[in-house]
Amino acid sequence: KQEVTQIPAALSVPEGENLVLNCSFTDSAIYNLQWFRQDPGKGLTSLLLIQSSQREQTSGRLNASLDKSSGRSTLYIAASQPGDSATYLCAVSGTGNQFYFGTGTSLTVIP
Amino acid sequence: DVKVTQSSRYLVKRTGEKVFLECVQDMDHENMFWYRQDPGLGLRLIYFSYDVKMKEKGDIPEGYSVSREKKERFSLILESASTNQTSMYLCASSFSLVYGRDTNTDTQYFGPGTRLTVL
């Protein structure tokens, strides 16, 4: 069964800093990988989806990369802002119509 | 924009009650999912459905059932609620992508969640 790990579990950075969140998965036979943001007590908001044939995706200050062979993805956030404070989750999709989720990284950006 | 709505944001029920959680999506998605989210355990898939009247068990289906009579609506049923079913319940939907003989899911869109407390 696919296992997804996110390290660190929590991260605190000063405003303006660039940062990297990590996601690793055990089975490299994935179709795609998705990064989500979750605010406290709320649902998940999709940030980026990377197909298995792609190496990266960008949206504004966010850049996600995928190295399928090593089972790793990173989410790069440039020039962090207090509004970026949230929990970030990654999820991978293999055979079948479901995603497997990591437990997330809780990010705090200090003004 | 895709919209996924859930019938309640907060729900309090008593042990043994039958509980219905409803989810509706407005984008004609084939796939719909029910997850529960607990601290330290992340999101765990309870059931999913890839078509009307079709359902598949996820990782933790025990104590739950589902119903999908219409494409836009996916219901989660707790037949006899127990305290260990206190959790945040999240519904999601997505299009299907076809890769040769296999199908897989495109971007998942989530509802706002239902915080269920069972006393």
Side-chain angles (χ1 to χ4, degrees):
Chain A
K1 182 192 160 186
Q2 179 74 267
E3 291 187 6
V4 182
T5 303
Q6 292 185 249
I7 294 173
L11 183 63
S12 184
V13 300
E15 181 177 1
E17 196 163 291
N18 302 325
L19 60 102
V20 174
L21 306 180
N22 297 295
C23 173
S24 61
F25 45 94
T26 54
D27 185 351
S28 61
I30 65 167
Y31 284 126
N32 52 46
L33 182 145
Q34 192 166 5
W35 281 94
F36 294 88
R37 168 190 172 131
Q38 186 177 29
D39 293 291
K42 302 282 181 67
L44 278 66
T45 301
S46 177
L47 297 173
L48 291 163
L49 182 140
I50 310 177
Q51 302 289 353
S52 62
S53 57
Q54 298 174 320
R55 296 300 297 264
E56 64 179 320
Q57 281 283 353
T58 298
S59 176
R61 294 183 294 109
L62 305 179
N63 176 277
S65 67
L66 174 64
D67 183 345
K68 209 173 76 160
S69 61
S70 68
R72 294 186 181 184
S73 175
T74 61
L75 179 67
Y76 175 83
I77 302 177
S80 58
Q81 302 170 358
D84 295 331
S85 298
T87 296
Y88 291 81
L89 297 106
C90 73
V92 297
S93 176
T95 55
N97 289 355
Q98 57 179 297
F99 276 94
Y100 293 93
F101 284 81
T103 51
T105 294
S106 176
L107 173 66
T108 302
V109 180
I110 304 165
Chain B
D1 277 353
V2 176
K3 195 164 186 180
V4 180
T5 57
Q6 295 183 228
S7 49
S8 305
R9 292 281 286 129
Y10 300 94
L11 209 52
V12 180
K13 295 292 182 180
R14 297 214 172 267
T15 301
E17 280 192 78
K18 191 168 186 176
V19 182
F20 293 87
L21 303 181
E22 295 221 313
C23 175
V24 177
Q25 50 93 5
D26 67 356
M27 279 301 290
D28 203 35
H29 285 168
E30 295 90 353
N31 301 320
M32 296 189 75
F33 308 81
W34 275 107
Y35 296 91
R36 64 176 282 177
Q37 185 177 30
D38 300 288
L41 297 177
L43 270 80
R44 293 179 291 168
L45 182 65
I46 304 171
Y47 269 97
F48 69 98
S49 168
Y50 52 88
D51 202 350
V52 176
K53 295 191 186 294
M54 306 301 289
K55 60 185 179 185
E56 291 284 343
K57 292 180 180 179
D59 297 321
I60 51 164
E62 296 79 17
Y64 303 94
S65 62
V66 290
S67 172
R68 194 167 180 200
E69 296 296 319
K70 295 184 177 181
K71 192 174 186 180
E72 68 271 18
R73 189 180 299 268
F74 192 34
S75 301
L76 179 69
I77 304 154
L78 287 65
E79 296 290 342
S80 178
S82 63
T83 55
N84 63 12
Q85 292 179 309
T86 292
S87 186
M88 170 72 102
Y89 289 87
L90 293 163
C91 174
S93 71
S94 72
F95 281 118
S96 279
L97 299 174
V98 179
Y99 296 86
R101 291 183 183 179
D102 297 325
T103 61
N104 209 282
T105 181
D106 198 3
T107 301
Q108 289 201 334
Y109 296 90
F110 280 80
T114 296
R115 173 74 65 183
L116 173 66
T117 301
V118 182
L119 302 174

